[in-house]
Amino acid sequence: MLKNIICLFVLCYALLSRSGSVQSQTIEQLTAAAKAEGEVTLMASASTFGGKKGFADLEAGFNKKFGLSHRVNLTPGPSFPQVAARVLTELKAGMKSSTDLYLGSDGTMSDMHREKALQRVAWAGTFPWVTKEMEIFPGETLLVYASFHGIIYNSNLIPKDKAPKSYEDLVDPALSPTWAGKIAIPSYIHWLIRLSANWGKEKVLAYARKLKPLVGGRLRQGEEERIVSGEFPIMASTGGAVEAMWKWQAKGAPLVGLPGSSPPTSSYYQLAVPRNSAHPNSAKLFIAYMTTREAQAVLEKYDWRSSYLVEGTLLAKYVASNKLKLQDPRELAEVFQRDDPPFEAELTRILLK
């Protein structure tokens, strides 16, 4: 009888070890194992982390940090959801992943977490500079950078006394005549889904109905030049509003960006190791490296992006100087794990149909 109980315990432990336990390795153990791998690959947009120039700098810093001579590869690929779907297909087929690292934002990381597609890693327990707060999905993902969703506008076209300070100002009857019929909105509704975590769904729907008559067109993220040129004086929301301001003001452009809500809604971009990663040890080291001040400086240099959780970054300074309380990324992850097709369909009907 005792022998059977022991065997059952051992079997359960083995199953738990394979499926859900956090892998505990020292930096020295990871580095020794990584040396046999020789490279690490990320499949993502060709402009990720500054593209080829950014990856060259990251490769040099990564190798210096851990005493390696690795190739750090950027394989141009499709969108976050498409890469996630590919990783999941390969995992279910028993194949190695096409990417050693998975980069995603809140929604796709929620999907990967739900599918149990990510390796469990004792991030904060292994790397002294990593904090538990950086683990958006504890034991799975690390925050690499965050971007506030907010308003951008041309300060030459919208005077300071008429400028909005929040999303609610966009539909204020005292201010909105300045941009009525000329305001640009995103071609997606996720900014409002994020906002529902703060406002509630009914308030978001009521807001969308007030905003619709003011709309003059749609823009995608990254099309800030159309605000700078004056084609549209203002955009209701875009990801990375603050980073866009820093980027364009450095060129002398009259672009102002600000968070649209308090707490600011944000996209939390995270890295994780797929369970079927071909070079998992190198992947763990590289992800941890991306949370160092050295790696963050590369992101700032090429893309103006950074993490507010790494001391000394542009975003950390902005959060501190403006005394911002941020949206809890774990609460946001829960929003994306609770699908609400009727709510999303109604938002789409109001603003995009």
Side-chain angles (χ1 to χ4, degrees), residues 81-98 112 115 117 276:
Q82 290 172 309
V83 175
R86 181 168 179 173
V87 171
L88 289 172
T89 299
E90 292 166 339
L91 179 62
K92 291 172 183 176
M95 300 166 57
K96 289 296 184 183
S97 172
S98 300
M112 296 292 275
E115 294 291 332
N276 52 339

Side-chain angles (χ1 to χ4, degrees), residues 65-103:
K65 178 76 174 176
F66 296 109
L68 299 170
S69 54
H70 270 45
R71 294 192 308 275
V72 177
N73 307 309
L74 172 62
T75 299
S79 66
F80 292 157
Q82 290 172 309
V83 175
R86 181 168 179 173
V87 171
L88 289 172
T89 299
E90 292 166 339
L91 179 62
K92 291 172 183 176
M95 300 166 57
K96 289 296 184 183
S97 172
S98 300
T99 180
D100 295 315
L101 313 153
Y102 178 68
L103 174 67

Side-chain angles (χ1 to χ4, degrees), residues 221-350:
Q221 184 171 331
E223 293 187 324
E224 299 90 2
E225 188 170 359
R226 297 173 73 179
I227 304 296
V228 173
S229 71
E231 179 183 350
F232 295 95
I234 188 169
M235 184 173 181
S237 183
T238 187
V242 174
E243 294 96 314
M245 174 178 66
W246 292 332
K247 172 185 173 182
W248 284 98
Q249 286 189 356
K251 300 176 182 180
L255 190 77
V256 175
L258 68 153
S261 62
S262 182
T265 59
S266 306
S267 287
Y268 297 97
Y269 295 90
Q270 306 152 57
L271 279 170
V273 186
R275 274 174 43 205
N276 52 339
S277 171
H279 305 109
N281 300 289
S282 302
K284 293 168 192 173
L285 290 175
F286 186 78
I287 290 173
Y289 171 67
M290 291 302 298
T291 66
T292 65
R293 184 66 188 93
E294 296 87 350
Q296 292 286 307
V298 176
L299 299 189
E300 290 176 341
K301 176 181 177 181
Y302 292 103
D303 217 12
W304 297 93
R305 299 181 184 272
S306 57
S307 168
Y308 64 93
L309 295 177
V310 178
E311 187 176 355
T313 63
L314 285 172
L315 198 58
K317 292 175 182 176
Y318 182 87
V319 168
S321 64
N322 289 278
K323 299 179 181 178
L324 295 180
K325 177 188 176 185
L326 302 185
Q327 184 180 30
D328 187 331
R330 293 178 180 84
E331 289 181 4
L332 182 60
E334 290 175 8
V335 169
F336 280 102
Q337 291 182 67
R338 295 193 302 267
D339 292 335
D340 190 341
F343 172 60
E344 295 178 21
E346 181 64 5
L347 275 178
T348 301
R349 186 193 67 79
I350 293 169

